[in-house]
Amino acid sequence: EVRLRESGGGSVEAGGSLTLLCTVSDYQYANFNFYCMGWFRQRPDKQREAVASFYGGTGGIYYNDSLEGRFTISKDNHRRTLSLQMNTLKPEDTAIYYCAGGCPMHIGSRRLAGPDDFIDIGQGTQVTVST
């Protein structure tokens, strides 16, 4: 069973930055390059929403348009980690952020993968942005 563990969450003032890191362990399948991964979040009183996804096979990287280019997802296949650089944070970015993996190739290579597209999900890390 693949295990995902997030780190890097915390509290920050509006306008600040945070970098989330997801560490993958017990991955025993084919080439890790093709392991589709992403981030989604759950804001207070909101449904879960996709943030960004990364499919390495074709370099498919997708973002939620509402983020307006403030976030950057990256994947280190050697270290087996996934990162999310978050800049110019706003109070509305306050949420639990989840690392996820295992979305199907036909999804990850074509569009932003959503929470229901993943089979492996981490425990989440809290991000709080204050005014």
Side-chain angles (χ1 to χ4, degrees):
E1 180 182 350
V2 179
R3 292 186 299 167
L4 308 177
R5 185 172 68 179
E6 304 92 341
S7 60
S11 298
V12 65
E13 292 184 349
S17 298
L18 280 175
T19 300
L20 304 183
L21 182 69
C22 176
T23 303
V24 182
S25 57
D26 297 332
Y27 182 84
Q28 300 179 11
Y29 304 108
N31 193 333
F32 187 77
N33 290 6
F34 296 97
Y35 183 55
C36 175
M37 298 190 70
W39 296 91
F40 66 88
R41 67 185 181 184
Q42 183 148 30
R43 296 184 282 176
D45 300 322
K46 300 282 187 181
Q47 291 186 333
R48 299 181 306 172
E49 63 178 346
V51 172
S53 63
F54 190 115
Y55 174 68
T58 59
I61 300 176
Y62 299 96
Y63 295 95
N64 187 319
D65 290 340
S66 70
L67 299 175
E68 302 173 318
R70 297 182 293 117
F71 293 9
T72 303
I73 189 172
S74 59
K75 186 168 177 263
D76 187 325
N77 292 318
H78 179 68
R79 291 186 171 85
R80 296 191 172 181
T81 60
L82 184 76
S83 299
L84 185 69
Q85 173 68 43
M86 305 185 293
N87 297 325
T88 320
L89 283 162
K90 303 177 181 181
E92 52 263 43
D93 293 318
T94 294
I96 299 174
Y97 284 75
Y98 296 88
C99 174
C103 67
M105 178 184 71
H106 71 275
I107 291 177
S109 64
R110 298 177 182 176
R111 63 163 175 83
L112 176 63
D116 293 334
D117 295 322
F118 296 101
I119 58 174
D120 304 312
I121 299 174
Q123 294 298 309
T125 186
Q126 176 71 45
V127 171
T128 302
V129 185
S130 60
T131 55

